[in-house]
Short mmCIF file of all heavy atoms in Angstrom, two decimals:
data_model
loop_
_atom_site.label_atom_id
_atom_site.label_comp_id
_atom_site.label_asym_id
_atom_site.label_seq_id
_atom_site.Cartn_x
_atom_site.Cartn_y
_atom_site.Cartn_z
N GLU A 185 -2.88 -11.35 -121.56
CA GLU A 185 -4.25 -11.84 -121.56
C GLU A 185 -4.95 -11.32 -120.31
O GLU A 185 -4.54 -11.62 -119.20
CB GLU A 185 -4.28 -13.37 -121.58
CG GLU A 185 -3.59 -13.99 -122.78
CD GLU A 185 -4.23 -13.62 -124.10
OE1 GLU A 185 -5.45 -13.32 -124.10
OE2 GLU A 185 -3.52 -13.61 -125.12
N VAL A 186 -5.99 -10.52 -120.51
CA VAL A 186 -6.72 -9.90 -119.41
C VAL A 186 -7.97 -10.73 -119.12
O VAL A 186 -8.72 -11.09 -120.03
CB VAL A 186 -7.12 -8.45 -119.75
CG1 VAL A 186 -7.93 -7.83 -118.62
CG2 VAL A 186 -5.88 -7.62 -120.04
N ASP A 187 -8.19 -11.05 -117.86
CA ASP A 187 -9.38 -11.77 -117.43
C ASP A 187 -10.49 -10.75 -117.18
O ASP A 187 -10.41 -9.94 -116.26
CB ASP A 187 -9.07 -12.56 -116.15
CG ASP A 187 -10.22 -13.48 -115.74
OD1 ASP A 187 -11.35 -13.28 -116.22
OD2 ASP A 187 -9.96 -14.40 -114.95
N LEU A 188 -11.54 -10.79 -118.00
CA LEU A 188 -12.67 -9.87 -117.86
C LEU A 188 -13.87 -10.57 -117.22
O LEU A 188 -15.01 -10.17 -117.43
CB LEU A 188 -13.06 -9.30 -119.22
CG LEU A 188 -12.07 -8.31 -119.83
CD1 LEU A 188 -12.53 -7.88 -121.23
CD2 LEU A 188 -11.90 -7.09 -118.94
N GLY A 189 -13.60 -11.59 -116.44
CA GLY A 189 -14.69 -12.32 -115.80
C GLY A 189 -15.04 -11.76 -114.43
O GLY A 189 -14.20 -11.24 -113.71
N ILE A 190 -16.32 -11.90 -114.07
CA ILE A 190 -16.80 -11.67 -112.71
C ILE A 190 -17.39 -13.00 -112.24
O ILE A 190 -18.26 -13.56 -112.91
CB ILE A 190 -17.85 -10.54 -112.66
CG1 ILE A 190 -17.21 -9.22 -113.12
CG2 ILE A 190 -18.43 -10.40 -111.26
CD1 ILE A 190 -18.18 -8.04 -113.14
N TYR A 191 -16.93 -13.50 -111.10
CA TYR A 191 -17.20 -14.87 -110.67
C TYR A 191 -18.00 -14.91 -109.36
O TYR A 191 -17.47 -15.34 -108.34
CB TYR A 191 -15.89 -15.62 -110.49
CG TYR A 191 -15.02 -15.70 -111.72
CD1 TYR A 191 -14.20 -14.64 -112.09
CD2 TYR A 191 -15.00 -16.85 -112.51
CE1 TYR A 191 -13.40 -14.71 -113.23
CE2 TYR A 191 -14.19 -16.93 -113.64
CZ TYR A 191 -13.40 -15.86 -113.99
OH TYR A 191 -12.61 -15.93 -115.10
N PRO A 192 -19.26 -14.50 -109.36
CA PRO A 192 -20.02 -14.53 -108.09
C PRO A 192 -20.39 -15.93 -107.64
O PRO A 192 -20.77 -16.12 -106.49
CB PRO A 192 -21.28 -13.72 -108.43
CG PRO A 192 -21.44 -13.90 -109.91
CD PRO A 192 -20.06 -13.98 -110.48
N ASN A 193 -20.28 -16.90 -108.53
CA ASN A 193 -20.63 -18.28 -108.17
C ASN A 193 -19.42 -19.16 -108.02
O ASN A 193 -19.54 -20.38 -107.94
CB ASN A 193 -21.57 -18.87 -109.23
CG ASN A 193 -22.92 -18.19 -109.26
OD1 ASN A 193 -23.37 -17.68 -108.24
ND2 ASN A 193 -23.54 -18.12 -110.42
N GLY A 194 -18.23 -18.59 -108.01
CA GLY A 194 -17.04 -19.39 -107.85
C GLY A 194 -16.22 -19.46 -109.12
O GLY A 194 -16.29 -18.59 -109.99
N ASP A 195 -15.47 -20.53 -109.25
CA ASP A 195 -14.48 -20.66 -110.31
C ASP A 195 -15.06 -21.35 -111.54
O ASP A 195 -14.67 -22.44 -111.90
CB ASP A 195 -13.27 -21.44 -109.77
CG ASP A 195 -12.09 -21.37 -110.71
OD1 ASP A 195 -12.15 -20.65 -111.70
OD2 ASP A 195 -11.10 -22.06 -110.44
N GLU A 196 -16.02 -20.69 -112.24
CA GLU A 196 -16.55 -21.26 -113.46
C GLU A 196 -15.66 -20.90 -114.64
O GLU A 196 -14.61 -20.32 -114.48
CB GLU A 196 -17.99 -20.77 -113.71
CG GLU A 196 -18.11 -19.26 -113.84
CD GLU A 196 -18.62 -18.62 -112.57
OE1 GLU A 196 -18.06 -18.92 -111.50
OE2 GLU A 196 -19.53 -17.80 -112.66
N GLU A 197 -16.08 -21.24 -115.85
CA GLU A 197 -15.30 -20.94 -117.04
C GLU A 197 -15.20 -19.43 -117.25
O GLU A 197 -16.16 -18.69 -117.04
CB GLU A 197 -15.92 -21.59 -118.27
CG GLU A 197 -15.72 -23.10 -118.35
CD GLU A 197 -14.26 -23.47 -118.54
OE1 GLU A 197 -13.54 -22.73 -119.24
OE2 GLU A 197 -13.84 -24.49 -117.97
N GLU A 198 -14.03 -19.00 -117.73
CA GLU A 198 -13.79 -17.57 -117.89
C GLU A 198 -14.74 -16.94 -118.90
O GLU A 198 -15.24 -15.84 -118.70
CB GLU A 198 -12.34 -17.34 -118.33
CG GLU A 198 -11.93 -15.89 -118.40
CD GLU A 198 -10.44 -15.74 -118.65
OE1 GLU A 198 -9.65 -16.52 -118.09
OE2 GLU A 198 -10.07 -14.84 -119.42
N ARG A 199 -15.02 -17.63 -119.99
CA ARG A 199 -15.90 -17.04 -121.00
C ARG A 199 -17.31 -16.86 -120.45
O ARG A 199 -18.03 -15.94 -120.85
CB ARG A 199 -15.91 -17.90 -122.26
CG ARG A 199 -16.42 -19.32 -122.06
CD ARG A 199 -16.44 -20.07 -123.39
NE ARG A 199 -16.95 -21.40 -123.21
CZ ARG A 199 -17.63 -22.04 -124.14
NH1 ARG A 199 -17.86 -21.46 -125.29
NH2 ARG A 199 -18.06 -23.26 -123.93
N GLN A 200 -17.75 -17.74 -119.56
CA GLN A 200 -19.06 -17.57 -118.93
C GLN A 200 -19.03 -16.37 -117.98
O GLN A 200 -19.97 -15.58 -117.93
CB GLN A 200 -19.44 -18.83 -118.18
CG GLN A 200 -20.81 -18.74 -117.49
CD GLN A 200 -21.16 -20.00 -116.72
OE1 GLN A 200 -20.35 -20.92 -116.63
NE2 GLN A 200 -22.35 -20.04 -116.15
N ALA A 201 -17.93 -16.24 -117.23
CA ALA A 201 -17.84 -15.15 -116.26
C ALA A 201 -17.80 -13.78 -116.94
O ALA A 201 -18.18 -12.78 -116.33
CB ALA A 201 -16.60 -15.34 -115.39
N ARG A 202 -17.34 -13.73 -118.18
CA ARG A 202 -17.28 -12.44 -118.90
C ARG A 202 -18.66 -11.86 -119.16
O ARG A 202 -18.81 -10.65 -119.33
CB ARG A 202 -16.54 -12.62 -120.22
CG ARG A 202 -15.05 -12.83 -120.10
CD ARG A 202 -14.45 -13.22 -121.42
NE ARG A 202 -14.53 -12.16 -122.41
CZ ARG A 202 -13.50 -11.43 -122.81
NH1 ARG A 202 -12.31 -11.67 -122.29
NH2 ARG A 202 -13.64 -10.49 -123.70
N THR A 203 -19.68 -12.71 -119.20
CA THR A 203 -21.03 -12.22 -119.48
C THR A 203 -21.60 -11.40 -118.33
O THR A 203 -22.66 -10.78 -118.48
CB THR A 203 -21.98 -13.39 -119.77
OG1 THR A 203 -22.14 -14.19 -118.59
CG2 THR A 203 -21.44 -14.27 -120.90
N ARG A 204 -20.94 -11.41 -117.18
CA ARG A 204 -21.49 -10.74 -116.00
C ARG A 204 -20.95 -9.32 -115.82
O ARG A 204 -21.15 -8.71 -114.76
CB ARG A 204 -21.21 -11.59 -114.76
CG ARG A 204 -21.86 -12.97 -114.87
CD ARG A 204 -21.97 -13.66 -113.55
NE ARG A 204 -22.68 -14.92 -113.72
CZ ARG A 204 -22.10 -16.10 -113.82
NH1 ARG A 204 -20.78 -16.19 -113.74
NH2 ARG A 204 -22.81 -17.19 -113.98
N GLN A 205 -20.25 -8.80 -116.79
CA GLN A 205 -19.83 -7.41 -116.71
C GLN A 205 -21.08 -6.52 -116.59
O GLN A 205 -22.12 -6.79 -117.19
CB GLN A 205 -19.02 -7.02 -117.95
CG GLN A 205 -17.65 -7.67 -118.02
CD GLN A 205 -16.67 -7.11 -117.00
OE1 GLN A 205 -16.93 -6.10 -116.36
NE2 GLN A 205 -15.53 -7.77 -116.87
N GLY A 206 -20.95 -5.45 -115.81
CA GLY A 206 -22.12 -4.63 -115.49
C GLY A 206 -22.93 -5.24 -114.37
O GLY A 206 -24.14 -5.06 -114.27
N PHE A 207 -22.24 -5.96 -113.46
CA PHE A 207 -22.89 -6.65 -112.34
C PHE A 207 -23.57 -5.63 -111.43
O PHE A 207 -22.94 -4.69 -110.94
CB PHE A 207 -21.84 -7.44 -111.57
CG PHE A 207 -22.39 -8.32 -110.49
CD1 PHE A 207 -22.79 -9.61 -110.79
CD2 PHE A 207 -22.50 -7.87 -109.20
CE1 PHE A 207 -23.30 -10.44 -109.79
CE2 PHE A 207 -23.00 -8.68 -108.20
CZ PHE A 207 -23.41 -9.97 -108.49
N PRO A 208 -24.89 -5.78 -111.16
CA PRO A 208 -25.61 -4.78 -110.36
C PRO A 208 -25.23 -4.85 -108.89
O PRO A 208 -25.25 -5.92 -108.28
CB PRO A 208 -27.07 -5.15 -110.59
CG PRO A 208 -27.06 -6.60 -110.95
CD PRO A 208 -25.77 -6.84 -111.68
N LEU A 209 -24.88 -3.71 -108.32
CA LEU A 209 -24.57 -3.60 -106.90
C LEU A 209 -25.77 -3.05 -106.14
O LEU A 209 -26.58 -2.30 -106.69
CB LEU A 209 -23.35 -2.70 -106.69
CG LEU A 209 -22.04 -3.20 -107.32
CD1 LEU A 209 -20.95 -2.16 -107.18
CD2 LEU A 209 -21.61 -4.52 -106.71
N GLN A 210 -25.87 -3.40 -104.85
CA GLN A 210 -27.01 -3.04 -104.04
C GLN A 210 -26.56 -2.29 -102.79
O GLN A 210 -25.39 -2.33 -102.41
CB GLN A 210 -27.76 -4.32 -103.61
CG GLN A 210 -28.14 -5.24 -104.74
CD GLN A 210 -28.66 -6.59 -104.26
OE1 GLN A 210 -28.72 -6.84 -103.05
NE2 GLN A 210 -29.04 -7.45 -105.18
N THR A 211 -27.52 -1.64 -102.15
CA THR A 211 -27.27 -1.04 -100.85
C THR A 211 -26.79 -2.14 -99.89
O THR A 211 -27.30 -3.25 -99.90
CB THR A 211 -28.54 -0.39 -100.30
OG1 THR A 211 -28.97 0.62 -101.22
CG2 THR A 211 -28.29 0.25 -98.94
N ASN A 212 -25.79 -1.80 -99.08
CA ASN A 212 -25.13 -2.71 -98.12
C ASN A 212 -24.10 -3.62 -98.77
O ASN A 212 -23.47 -4.41 -98.06
CB ASN A 212 -26.15 -3.54 -97.32
CG ASN A 212 -26.94 -2.70 -96.34
OD1 ASN A 212 -26.40 -1.79 -95.72
ND2 ASN A 212 -28.23 -2.98 -96.22
N ASP A 213 -23.92 -3.53 -100.08
CA ASP A 213 -22.82 -4.25 -100.71
C ASP A 213 -21.51 -3.54 -100.42
O ASP A 213 -21.44 -2.30 -100.38
CB ASP A 213 -23.00 -4.31 -102.23
CG ASP A 213 -23.99 -5.38 -102.65
OD1 ASP A 213 -24.42 -6.16 -101.79
OD2 ASP A 213 -24.32 -5.43 -103.86
N ARG A 214 -20.45 -4.32 -100.20
CA ARG A 214 -19.09 -3.79 -100.09
C ARG A 214 -18.20 -4.54 -101.07
O ARG A 214 -18.37 -5.74 -101.28
CB ARG A 214 -18.50 -3.96 -98.69
CG ARG A 214 -18.90 -2.87 -97.70
CD ARG A 214 -20.17 -3.20 -96.98
NE ARG A 214 -20.35 -2.38 -95.79
CZ ARG A 214 -21.46 -2.38 -95.07
NH1 ARG A 214 -22.48 -3.15 -95.41
NH2 ARG A 214 -21.56 -1.61 -94.00
N LEU A 215 -17.24 -3.84 -101.63
CA LEU A 215 -16.22 -4.46 -102.46
C LEU A 215 -14.88 -4.35 -101.75
O LEU A 215 -14.54 -3.29 -101.22
CB LEU A 215 -16.13 -3.77 -103.82
CG LEU A 215 -17.27 -4.03 -104.80
CD1 LEU A 215 -17.12 -3.13 -106.02
CD2 LEU A 215 -17.29 -5.49 -105.22
N LEU A 216 -14.13 -5.44 -101.77
CA LEU A 216 -12.77 -5.44 -101.24
C LEU A 216 -11.82 -5.79 -102.38
O LEU A 216 -11.96 -6.83 -103.01
CB LEU A 216 -12.63 -6.48 -100.11
CG LEU A 216 -11.19 -6.81 -99.68
CD1 LEU A 216 -10.50 -5.58 -99.06
CD2 LEU A 216 -11.19 -8.00 -98.73
N LEU A 217 -10.86 -4.90 -102.65
CA LEU A 217 -9.75 -5.18 -103.55
C LEU A 217 -8.50 -5.29 -102.71
O LEU A 217 -8.25 -4.42 -101.85
CB LEU A 217 -9.59 -4.07 -104.60
CG LEU A 217 -10.44 -4.15 -105.87
CD1 LEU A 217 -11.92 -4.04 -105.54
CD2 LEU A 217 -10.05 -3.05 -106.86
N CYS A 218 -7.72 -6.35 -102.90
CA CYS A 218 -6.57 -6.54 -102.03
C CYS A 218 -5.44 -7.25 -102.76
O CYS A 218 -5.67 -7.97 -103.74
CB CYS A 218 -6.95 -7.34 -100.78
SG CYS A 218 -7.50 -9.03 -101.11
N SER A 219 -4.23 -7.05 -102.28
CA SER A 219 -3.09 -7.84 -102.75
C SER A 219 -3.13 -9.19 -102.06
O SER A 219 -3.81 -9.39 -101.04
CB SER A 219 -1.78 -7.12 -102.47
OG SER A 219 -1.60 -6.92 -101.08
N ASP A 220 -2.37 -10.17 -102.60
CA ASP A 220 -2.42 -11.51 -102.03
C ASP A 220 -1.85 -11.58 -100.63
O ASP A 220 -2.12 -12.53 -99.89
CB ASP A 220 -1.71 -12.51 -102.95
CG ASP A 220 -0.20 -12.30 -102.98
OD1 ASP A 220 0.24 -11.13 -102.98
OD2 ASP A 220 0.54 -13.29 -103.01
#
Side-chain angles (χ1 to χ4, degrees):
E185 301 298 333
V186 178
D187 188 342
L188 290 176
I190 298 179
Y191 301 81
N193 293 331
D195 191 6
E196 59 260 49
E197 286 294 324
E198 186 172 321
R199 61 178 181 148
Q200 180 182 4
R202 288 170 66 106
T203 66
R204 300 197 176 100
Q205 291 288 349
F207 187 88
L209 298 174
Q210 307 170 359
T211 301
N212 290 322
D213 281 353
R214 277 89 164 172
L215 288 173
L216 167 65
L217 275 63
C218 64
S219 61
D220 69 321

